[in-house]
Amino acid sequence: MASRGRRKSVGVVEMARDLGVSTATVSRALNGSPSVRRELADRIRTHAEARGYVANRLARALSASTSRAFVGFVIPFVDTPAYSAVAAECARLLSAAGTQMILAITENDAEREFQQLRDLVGTRIAGLVISPSTHVLDDTRRLLTGLPVVELHRVSGIDAPSVFSDDEQALTDAILHLAGLGHTDIAYLGTPRELSNGVTRLRGIRRGVALAGLDPRRITMRLVEPTQDNGRDAARELLDGKLPFTALVVGSGSLSVGAAEAVRRSGRRLPDDLSLVVYGDPAWFVLADPPLTMVQVSYAGLARSAARLLLRALDAREIGTVPPTTGPHRVPAALSIAGSTGPPPPESHRPRSPE
C-alpha cells in the first residue's frame, strides 16, 4: 500500500529536486526529447522508475489549470506550403519534446480566429504559434497576451517573439536580376500593406527598383489577399490588361500557385514572352518546364525557430521566469535562378497604354 501511495504522490517537481535539475529538464527527458543529454536522460528515467512515477498526460491536461501537454497552432490557410509544411514540421518537433499540437484554421477571418482562440484557451492549452489574420480583433489580442505566444509570418501588435522568412533581400535580388537581364517594365503581385510581411516584401521590391535605377512609374503593382484564387485572378487581369511588362514577380506562395496557372493558361512562353519569378518552394516549381526562378524559403527553418521559441517560453513558465521577447527571428531566404527568367523580347507583347 505504501508503494502505491508513493506512486501517486511523486511528480516532476519532486524528482527535479531529488536530482538537482530543472522541472523542464525532467519533463523533456521523460517525454523522450532529444534536447536532453543521453546520460542525463537515462539517469532521470532510472530515478523515475525507482520512485514509481507514471506519467498520465490526459489526467494532467484535464486536472491542471494549465498543461504543456497541448499547444495550439493557428493559421489562416492550410493548403499552401507556407503553412502546411511548417505545421507538419512543428508538430513533429513539438511531439519529440512531449507536446502535442492542436491545429486551427481561421480562413483569415478575424471573428472566426477569435472564436477558435477562445475555444483553445478553454481547453487549457499551454501556449500557441499563430499566424494572425489580416485584421486582428482587440478581443483576440487580449486572449493572446495571457499565453506564451510565437507569431509566424505575421504580427498582431502584441509583445511576443515572431518568426519571419527574411525575404526582403531576396525580392530586392529578384528585381536586380531582372534589371540585369534588361527588363525595365516589371509587374509585382504581392500581399497587402496591412500584413506585416506584405510591407517588408514590398520594401524589398522598391529597394531593388531604386538600386537598379529603374523608373518606378514603369513598375506595375497589384496587392491582394494571399490566396490561390486571388493570385490566378490578379495575374490574369495583369496579363489581359493594357499595362506593358516583360517580367512578373510574385511575392507570396499562395499567389504564386495561382499566378503560375494564369501564365500557363495565357499561352505565354517562359522566358521568351515573359519572365516569371515566384515565391516559396513547392516541389512542383522545380518540375515546371522550364523550372521556375523563385524566392526560396526554408519552411523547415521557420518551423524549427517557432518550435524552439515556444518550448523556451513553456520552460520559462514552468520555472516561474519570463523569457525575453527577442525578435523578430528571421530565417534566411534566397533567390534561386532557373529557366523562367531571361532577357525581354525585342518588343513587348503587351499593348501600351495611351500617352
Side-chain angles (χ1 to χ4, degrees):
M1 296 293 293
S3 174
R4 285 199 199 103
R6 186 167 66 251
R7 285 173 184 269
K8 291 182 180 179
S9 61
V10 70
V12 170
V13 174
E14 291 86 352
M15 288 190 293
R17 186 166 52 242
D18 292 346
L19 295 166
V21 297
S22 70
T23 56
T25 299
V26 172
S27 177
R28 289 191 178 188
L30 294 176
N31 284 295
S33 171
S35 64
V36 181
R37 295 193 323 273
R38 180 178 298 177
E39 296 80 6
L40 179 57
D42 289 344
R43 184 159 65 91
I44 291 171
R45 285 192 288 267
T46 299
H47 183 74
E49 185 177 353
R51 292 293 307 272
Y53 174 81
V54 178
N56 187 328
R57 293 169 57 79
L58 182 58
R60 289 203 308 272
L62 294 177
S63 64
S65 59
T66 57
S67 167
R68 67 179 294 153
F70 301 100
V71 297
F73 193 89
V74 182
I75 53 178
F77 310 106
V78 76
D79 57 351
T80 64
Y83 294 112
S84 60
V86 176
E89 182 65 6
C90 258
R92 187 187 70 79
L93 294 169
L94 292 170
S95 179
T99 299
Q100 299 304 309
M101 194 177 84
I102 303 173
L103 179 66
I105 304 168
T106 68
E107 296 182 353
N108 206 37
D109 182 283
E111 188 63 40
R112 179 171 179 173
E113 178 178 65
F114 169 69
Q115 293 170 356
Q116 291 183 335
L117 276 174
R118 187 176 55 190
D119 291 343
L120 285 171
V121 171
T123 64
R124 300 171 181 170
I125 57 169
L128 58 89
V129 176
I130 182 170
S131 185
S133 61
T134 305
H135 304 287
V136 180
L137 301 178
D138 288 338
D139 286 340
T140 296
R141 292 190 182 93
R142 281 190 283 271
L143 280 177
L144 292 174
T145 55
L147 287 170
V149 172
V150 175
E151 296 190 306
L152 173 70
H153 293 313
R154 311 172 178 183
V155 294
S156 64
I158 67 169
D159 185 22
S162 55
V163 178
F164 289 94
S165 176
D166 192 8
D167 43 28
E168 181 178 339
Q169 182 59 51
L171 285 162
T172 294
D173 292 341
I175 296 297
L176 294 175
H177 166 62
L178 292 170
L181 291 171
H183 294 274
T184 56
D185 296 286
I186 300 171
Y188 173 62
L189 174 56
T191 55
R193 295 179 180 87
E194 290 83 0
L195 295 177
S196 47
N197 56 11
V199 172
T200 57
R201 293 169 188 173
L202 183 58
R203 190 162 59 226
I205 293 292
R206 286 176 169 163
R207 184 153 59 96
V209 170
L211 290 174
L214 299 178
D215 184 349
R217 294 171 297 180
R218 299 178 70 171
I219 308 300
T220 302
M221 300 280 186
R222 290 290 184 275
L223 305 180
V224 297
E225 288 288 342
T227 68
Q228 292 185 28
D229 287 345
N230 284 349
R232 182 178 58 250
D233 294 343
R236 186 167 54 211
E237 289 174 7
L238 285 169
L239 293 166
D240 291 343
K242 296 185 180 299
L243 292 173
F245 58 92
T246 57
L248 172 62
V249 179
V250 190
S252 154
S254 302
L255 295 176
S256 291
V257 176
E261 179 187 348
V263 170
R264 179 179 59 81
R265 290 187 175 183
S266 75
R268 285 169 174 76
R269 299 168 300 162
L270 300 177
D272 297 335
D273 301 327
L274 178 75
S275 285
L276 176 64
V277 179
V278 293
Y279 180 96
D281 193 17
W284 65 265
F285 279 1
V286 298
L287 300 177
D289 185 17
L292 302 181
T293 295
M294 74 178 79
V295 173
Q296 201 162 37
V297 178
S298 174
Y299 297 127
L302 290 166
R304 283 193 296 271
S305 291
R308 183 181 66 251
L309 288 169
L310 184 58
L311 289 171
R312 182 187 302 170
L314 298 182
D315 288 347
R317 189 187 64 173
E318 284 191 353
I319 61 177
T321 63
V322 178
T325 303
T326 58
H329 295 258
R330 299 194 180 276
V331 177
L335 181 68
S336 175
I337 298 173
S340 67
T341 50
E347 54 185 63
S348 175
H349 288 264
R350 307 299 308 156
R352 294 192 172 271
S353 55
E355 296 294 337

